[in-house]
Amino acid sequence: MAKESRTAIGFEEGRNDGAKWFGDLTRSRFAGPVTPHHRVLSRDVSPETLAVHAGTYEDPVTGAVGTPVFQTSTFLLDDASYAAFSDGTSRDVPIYTRYGNPSQWSVQEKIAALEGSRSALVTSSGMSATAGTIYALTNAGSHIVSAYDVYGGTYNLLREDMPSAGREVTFVDPCDLDAVRAAIRPETQLLFFETLTNPLLKAPSVRGLAEIAREANALLVVDNTFLTPVNMRPLEHGADVVVHSATKYLAGHSDLTAGAVVGRRKFLDRIWAQTLRFGGTLEPIAAFLLERGMKTLPLRVREQNANALEVARFLAGHERVAAVHHPELGGPRYADLEYADYRGFGGMVSFEVRGGDVAALEFMKKLRIPYVATSLGGVESLVSMPSNTSHSSLTARQRSRIGINPGLVRFSVGIENVRDLVRDLDEALGAPDEEDMR
Amino acid sequence: MRNSFNTAGFSEVVHEIRNDPAEAAFLYSAEACSSPYRGLSAKIGPALFGTVKSARRFSVELRDVAPDGPGPDGPLPMHLALTGIASCALTTLVGGGSAQSVVFESADMDIAWDGGAVTSRIDVGGVPDDATVAELVGQVERFSPNYTTLTRPVPVALRYGPDAAPASAGTAEGAPPTGRPAACRVRWISGTQLASAPLDPEPGEELRVDAPKQLTGVDWGPNPQEYLLMGLAADVASHLGRCARELTGRALPWRVVVRGTEDVGGLLQADPSAVVQLQDMRCTVPDASGLSGAELEKAVAAAWAASEVRYLIEAAPAVRLSSHRVESCPA
């Protein structure tokens, strides 16, 4: 293989030994990193086509149709490697897998294409993506605004790690834009919110949050795990950076742990540097599995959108269910929702079983199709209770304050036949007894 | 990275601001407090690099500028200003040299203020010949934002009072009464990190200088522009405390806020027509401390006229810069 073809597109153009001053330097920010062998498609192509083809490594030696697994920790050093070390451009040459690997670049290009961006980064987990992003984009002395009901792992990072790292955090209701605006300070540097919250499926206005962030010269980072780019591309609504737990819908098969960050290289190169120092590398085999899983992302998510809606409608009419949370059921929480901004709401439904946590646990034991397990977004349905899993670190009072009431069950609807799922739910819920109905 | 300097990062900024000139507008701010009980201190405010905010927390406790002020318990405001000028000069030198593949062993700058003029000397190690040193120092003289702020007159708008009204004292002319001479040695360490130590007879604590991590630094300390602004704010605040006490007999706390902008296209020469030195300099005294309007005006005018750092920025005092190439140490 010619040495030029293993470096990222744009790398060679950025090398300039004849510069006499900064203004003579020729490196600019570009897309990727991707090599000439990675398939780059216009972002105007439909999501289904991007999911299949974007980023595929077209191996010039074997002609393999699928992206090979570059299962190696290190790469041969050459002039390009040495130039990368010298100039600070080691993200653009395969040197060491913690720095970058063509398997990672392949899936990064696919994620970037689907989110409508030019660059992405994959990491070893969703929390690695979130932590790397927050640390990279803030300074000690800064202030962060986030949601009081943000995902438990993120909440713990913000609450337990940020104070000792010199960042202050204010937690607000993500749907209360006045509260978000009131929380802004001169040193506010980052707003971190979810496009659809876990587990109550609140849908804050990304446009509204982006406007507040812009007015404050702060960055808006959103976690788009629950919606996926199939249902919303937050960058088009004004977000600066998007993070994902790719373990969930993007991978889609509950067989790997991964994270992703999407946005401009101006930010992503800093997040990349932070992540490699934290050691949050995605293994090449996991990158391969993620890239393969994503080929069916639009198909899976569309099916999950439809299945979840049908499940939500069934639950809303069941007398043993006290409340159901799903945007398409409407209600006061979604009164201001701009439905045109969404192509669906994913496979999540949350609902409260009458009788509290004990009744909810009994109900889950009776289910025959979904697995009782944490996580979400896979092809198989999963069911769990936030009170004893993702939000167990909160006090009962804190859970009550954010709306996690006794009996709340989180149902991640898979791609099974929805009639089977509804029948199973119906049987597990059973007829209400007198005690439950009080 | 060569000299631990992220040349690629600066190259990317060059091309970014050529595509979007708004990204070249850098805004810095600093604030100083002079308190009869808590002494003199300065801190930086959030900076804005184009559209990206950098909110770091750095503060310095300082020595009062009054001749009868406390002894060697911290740097003078002038030390901060000189640190800002010299560290900017060295960062420009090493950064520019890195862009043309020069490898440095060392770069130091001694800088001194004697009450009317500035004397400075740059020592560069590892550079192969005198011509390269001369070329690099020439680039410092032309492209260093703080060094050119020293060598060219840069007006500073003064505002004060509850309404932050413009003050006529902002036109103070002539050299200020001589205060304490000050000198420091600034030492380049690595990349954008430098350390500054007072060269006064009494030893002083080192001041750390660094670029923010948004601009390839690691947040090791305030950046050179922020040191210059902190020096100005602290100098004015210190003089305000003294002048108000002399005028009214009252010891009062004072707060002074300074801001300034930089068109980084000038340093980087992404736009050859861009202004290199700091611009839009503004000093605000928002706290009236309960003085009457006339008392406040007199105190502010006296402090402004007495501020040597203000004079350094506004008046383009005489500056002498020399350079010297240090022979490489034998292996």
Side-chain angles (χ1 to χ4, degrees):
Chain A
M1 189 189 302
K3 70 175 182 181
E4 288 81 7
S5 61
R6 76 186 201 96
T7 61
I9 295 169
F11 172 79
E12 289 298 334
E13 291 84 339
R15 293 176 68 179
N16 181 359
D17 295 332
K20 298 301 283 181
W21 196 248
F22 295 107
D24 303 325
L25 296 169
T26 53
R27 180 181 167 89
S28 57
R29 292 195 181 95
F30 45 82
V34 286
T35 70
H37 304 303
H38 287 96
R39 194 166 192 186
V40 177
L41 298 177
S42 161
R43 275 37 176 169
D44 297 335
V45 175
S46 67
E48 293 81 2
T49 306
L50 291 174
V52 173
H53 291 293
T56 301
Y57 187 91
E58 297 171 327
D59 186 62
V61 176
T62 65
V65 169
T67 297
V69 187
F70 292 91
Q71 191 64 39
T72 181
S73 62
T74 192
F75 298 83
L76 296 176
L77 295 170
D78 61 7
D79 286 348
S81 317
Y82 302 132
F85 278 121
S86 182
D87 294 341
T89 55
S90 48
R91 195 181 174 204
D92 293 321
V93 182
I95 292 171
Y96 186 61
T97 285
R98 188 162 58 86
Y99 286 56
N101 176 301
S103 292
Q104 298 164 357
W105 294 4
S106 185
V107 68
Q108 285 173 181
E109 172 60 14
K110 194 184 294 292
I111 296 170
L114 284 163
E115 284 283 10
S117 182
R118 298 179 70 203
S119 187
L121 172 71
V122 288
T123 65
S124 57
S125 70
M127 278 312 300
S128 173
T130 296
T133 298
I134 290 174
Y135 271 94
L137 299 184
T138 56
N139 304 82
S142 66
H143 174 245
I144 298 165
V145 183
S146 190
Y148 55 57
D149 54 354
V150 73
Y151 163 63
T154 305
Y155 180 80
N156 290 340
L157 174 82
L158 293 172
R159 193 180 72 86
E160 296 180 18
D161 292 309
M162 289 301 105
S164 62
R167 281 85 162 160
E168 290 193 28
V169 187
T170 301
F171 295 99
V172 297
D173 180 344
C175 293
D176 185 347
L177 294 183
D178 290 337
V180 175
R181 188 172 273 109
I184 298 292
R185 305 178 191 169
E187 66 272 24
T188 302
Q189 207 169 6
L190 194 81
L191 278 65
F192 188 101
F193 291 101
E194 294 160 334
T195 52
L196 192 63
T197 72
N198 174 17
L200 294 176
L201 306 187
K202 291 180 185 174
S205 165
V206 176
R207 290 181 201 282
L209 293 169
E211 187 181 337
I212 294 170
R214 203 167 38 250
E215 288 168 3
N217 290 309
L219 297 175
L220 174 62
V221 178
V222 295
D223 183 335
N224 199 31
T225 298
F226 270 44
L227 284 179
T228 82
V230 176
N231 287 327
M232 177 187 269
R233 289 173 158 190
L235 298 175
E236 293 173 357
H237 298 257
D240 296 292
V241 173
V242 173
V243 298
H244 280 276
S245 171
T247 309
K248 314 300 191 307
Y249 290 99
L250 297 190
H253 295 76
S254 304
D255 57 0
L256 64 91
T257 303
V261 190
V262 192
R264 294 154 62 193
R265 278 199 74 164
K266 175 173 184 161
F267 303 125
L268 287 202
D269 283 359
R270 283 168 49 204
I271 298 166
W272 164 81
Q274 186 75 69
T275 303
L276 76 86
R277 291 195 291 269
F278 280 165
T281 311
L282 187 66
E283 270 292 298
I285 186 71
F288 163 77
L289 287 170
L290 177 56
E291 197 251 339
R292 189 183 66 163
M294 284 188 65
K295 291 182 181 185
T296 57
L297 176 72
L299 304 183
R300 286 186 281 108
V301 170
R302 268 206 303 275
E303 194 70 8
Q304 287 169 299
N305 287 344
N307 282 0
L309 178 57
E310 196 157 335
V311 164
R313 284 177 175 152
F314 163 75
L315 291 168
H318 200 285
E319 53 196 355
R320 281 205 63 193
V321 175
V324 182
H325 306 287
H326 190 280
E328 288 188 87
L329 295 184
R333 176 178 293 168
Y334 305 110
D336 297 327
L337 192 62
E338 296 284 349
Y339 282 92
D341 289 345
Y342 303 82
R343 289 180 287 275
F345 294 92
M348 190 62 75
V349 182
S350 293
F351 56 100
E352 292 169 20
V353 177
R354 289 188 195 280
D357 287 348
V358 173
L361 275 169
E362 281 303 308
F363 152 75
M364 291 198 302
K365 281 181 191 167
K366 292 177 186 170
L367 288 168
R368 287 181 297 178
I369 295 176
Y371 289 113
V372 178
T374 191
S375 198
L376 60 110
V379 291
E380 65 287 296
S381 294
L382 298 177
V383 64
S384 64
M385 291 170 60
S387 63
N388 59 15
T389 57
S390 59
H391 291 69
S392 62
S393 65
L394 300 186
T395 66
R397 187 176 175 190
Q398 285 173 322
R399 281 198 294 272
S400 170
R401 185 170 166 241
I402 65 175
I404 298 178
N405 295 324
L408 186 73
V409 173
R410 196 183 75 167
F411 194 124
S412 172
V413 183
I415 62 168
E416 301 95 335
N417 187 301
V418 73
R419 289 189 298 278
D420 295 335
L421 295 174
V422 167
R423 189 184 317 118
D424 192 26
L425 282 167
D426 196 23
E427 290 171 4
L429 284 167
D433 57 38
E434 206 170 293
E435 186 70 20
D436 291 344
M437 295 302 289
R438 287 180 188 165
Chain B
M1 286 180 283
R2 191 180 303 112
N3 304 312
S4 293
F5 204 94
N6 190 341
T7 309
F10 279 90
S11 180
E12 289 168 355
V13 173
V14 167
H15 291 270
E16 179 182 37
I17 63 181
R18 281 186 180 147
N19 290 327
D20 182 3
E23 294 288 351
F26 288 10
L27 172 67
Y28 298 100
S29 63
E31 181 178 323
C33 288
S34 159
S35 163
Y37 305 108
R38 290 184 293 170
L40 183 64
S41 63
K43 64 180 181 181
I44 65 167
L48 198 58
F49 303 113
T51 54
V52 176
K53 187 188 289 184
S54 177
R56 291 147 295 132
R57 187 184 297 126
F58 290 114
S59 60
V60 187
E61 292 186 355
L62 293 138
R63 216 186 321 169
D64 201 290
V65 298
D68 59 346
D73 59 348
L76 290 164
M78 182 57 80
H79 282 126
L80 302 192
L82 295 177
T83 294
I85 292 163
S87 60
C88 183
L90 289 180
T91 304
T92 304
L93 181 130
V94 175
S98 300
Q100 51 183 288
S101 302
V102 174
V103 175
F104 296 89
E105 285 179 4
S106 64
D108 301 333
M109 185 168 177
D110 287 358
I111 185 165
W113 161 254
D114 66 6
V118 173
T119 309
S120 57
R121 168 185 161 127
I122 295 177
D123 290 320
V124 185
V127 177
D129 52 65
D130 291 337
T132 303
V133 172
E135 181 188 3
L136 291 171
V137 171
Q139 286 167 327
V140 166
E141 291 177 302
R142 284 181 290 149
F143 304 138
S144 163
N146 286 6
Y147 189 81
T148 53
T149 299
L150 172 70
T151 58
R152 299 170 194 175
V154 174
V156 184
L158 174 66
R159 294 167 182 269
Y160 69 96
D163 304 325
S168 57
T171 59
E173 291 176 353
T178 304
R180 297 184 182 187
C184 39
R185 173 168 297 157
V186 178
R187 179 171 53 91
W188 169 71
I189 299 170
S190 164
T192 53
Q193 286 92 55
L194 305 98
S196 171
L199 281 177
D200 294 349
E202 58 266 21
E205 237 178 75
E206 273 200 342
L207 300 169
R208 294 174 170 184
V209 188
D210 193 11
K213 66 183 193 179
Q214 285 78 6
L215 290 176
T216 78
V218 298
D219 289 358
W220 197 56
N223 91 335
Q225 284 72 34
E226 290 165 332
Y227 267 111
L228 185 55
L229 265 56
M230 281 197 293
L232 175 60
D235 200 34
V236 175
S238 180
H239 282 297
L240 267 169
R242 177 183 57 79
C243 294
R245 193 170 61 244
E246 288 171 2
L247 281 167
T248 68
R250 294 162 62 188
L252 299 168
W254 293 90
R255 190 165 74 92
V256 176
V257 180
V258 172
R259 49 152 282 174
T261 65
E262 175 195 354
D263 181 345
V264 78
L267 163 68
L268 302 176
Q269 288 295 285
D271 172 8
S273 68
V275 173
V276 176
Q277 68 270 25
L278 299 186
Q279 304 174 75
D280 307 318
M281 294 281 288
R282 185 190 301 169
C283 178
T284 305
V285 184
D287 188 358
S289 298
L291 296 183
S292 70
E295 288 173 326
L296 179 64
E297 186 177 358
K298 277 186 187 171
V300 168
W304 193 246
S307 169
E308 294 170 292
V309 177
R310 189 272 310 162
Y311 176 79
L312 209 64
I313 294 169
E314 284 201 312
V319 178
R320 195 165 69 244
L321 172 65
S322 60
S323 60
H324 175 66
R325 184 171 68 88
V326 179
E327 295 292 341
S328 294
C329 299

